[in-house]
Amino acid sequence: MPLDRCSKCGKNPPGGLQNCSGCHGATGAYCSKECQGAHWKVHKPVCRPLAEDKVWGIKILDNRFGPWPRQFKHVLLKTSHPIFTQGELCPVTAKCGFPLVIWSRTIHGGTPAMGNNQPAVYLRIEPHDGFAPSHWQSHEPGTCIVVRQDRKLLTREAIEIVYNFHSHLLDLADPALAVNGRSPFGEPLTPQWLRSFADEYCEEEIRREGRKGFDYFP
């Protein structure tokens, strides 16, 4: 699927985009050489041609590999991977217009867990009460994998933003608000809320630490 926005700045210039010569536009396309050069460190881990039966996702390592920024790793999956048949939709992301699917080696794959996985459990919370389903709470999910439902590239930066959005929601959550269909987070979940949070998060990461890859939320 051709990229329609610059992989660094998110712009869609009238003259079109120039595909990265390494991945042939599978995971990188740019509006200028300046954007491509500035984005290389972020793009490098996923800079390779992508076969039709492959999808980039994120492996979330269990808590033994924390703190959480070190738990997110790029992973290249075949479309035959069980996440595409057994994975569960992360419902908050679906309501916010960025639907993700998550799969646990323990919950779905039957592999004994070596540890809990806080980021993964956060991603699985339900919009109506702010709690993860019982099977995510009663079992240590261990290492998990997440992909975009549309099978587009999921970056470490994007999953970091989404995880921190869920963490923010849990700080706001009040079960007393969750009556008569109301949101436990004080306001309805919308794509605009996630986008606003992402914009503020990116701005802060660039301002405070000069981090690359946080120019825009895909």
Side-chain angles (χ1 to χ4, degrees):
M1 183 181 300
L3 301 178
D4 58 2
R5 300 173 68 184
C6 176
S7 297
K8 181 185 186 298
C9 68
K11 295 179 180 178
N12 187 0
L17 302 171
Q18 183 67 41
N19 288 338
C20 167
S21 60
C23 67
H24 306 305
T27 56
Y30 300 93
C31 65
S32 67
K33 291 183 178 179
E34 290 73 21
C35 271
Q36 183 172 8
H39 196 247
W40 172 241
K41 184 177 180 180
V42 176
H43 177 59
K44 184 178 179 180
V46 294
C47 183
R48 66 182 72 176
L50 196 63
E52 291 186 1
D53 65 341
K54 298 290 181 65
V55 176
W56 280 108
I58 294 292
K59 180 184 292 185
I60 306 179
L61 303 176
D62 65 57
N63 291 349
R64 295 174 300 150
F65 298 90
W68 61 260
R70 295 205 299 255
Q71 291 176 244
F72 302 140
K73 304 292 182 182
H74 288 293
V75 60
L76 188 58
L77 306 167
K78 288 188 175 183
T79 53
S80 58
H81 189 281
I83 189 172
F84 299 107
T85 55
Q86 301 174 2
E88 299 179 26
L89 182 67
C90 300
V92 168
T93 66
K95 284 187 172 292
C96 291
F98 194 72
L100 301 178
V101 176
I102 191 167
W103 180 86
S104 160
R105 285 182 176 175
T106 300
I107 295 173
H108 306 104
T111 302
M114 299 298 292
N116 209 338
N117 194 324
Q118 177 183 304
V121 174
Y122 277 25
L123 290 176
R124 193 52 191 84
I125 62 172
E126 294 286 349
H128 66 276
D129 61 8
F131 290 100
S134 59
H135 59 285
W136 281 85
Q137 297 187 55
S138 59
H139 296 85
E140 293 186 339
T143 294
C144 295
I145 293 175
V146 183
V147 295
R148 288 177 56 160
Q149 190 181 48
D150 60 12
R151 302 193 180 188
K152 292 182 180 180
L153 171 68
L154 178 60
T155 66
R156 287 180 296 192
E157 293 76 24
I159 197 67
E160 178 178 328
I161 291 169
V162 172
Y163 162 66
N164 277 280
F165 179 66
H166 282 70
S167 181
H168 173 65
L169 292 178
L170 289 174
D171 288 340
L172 298 174
D174 181 356
L177 297 176
V179 294
N180 298 323
R182 295 175 58 195
S183 168
F185 312 116
E187 61 180 283
L189 293 168
T190 63
Q192 291 75 23
W193 191 3
L194 173 57
R195 178 70 56 182
S196 176
F197 178 90
D199 289 345
E200 292 179 7
Y201 188 90
C202 289
E203 181 178 329
E204 178 64 16
E205 290 304 297
I206 293 172
R207 183 193 65 80
R208 183 168 57 88
E209 298 188 16
R211 296 182 66 191
K212 297 182 181 297
F214 288 91
D215 300 276
Y216 85 104
F217 182 68

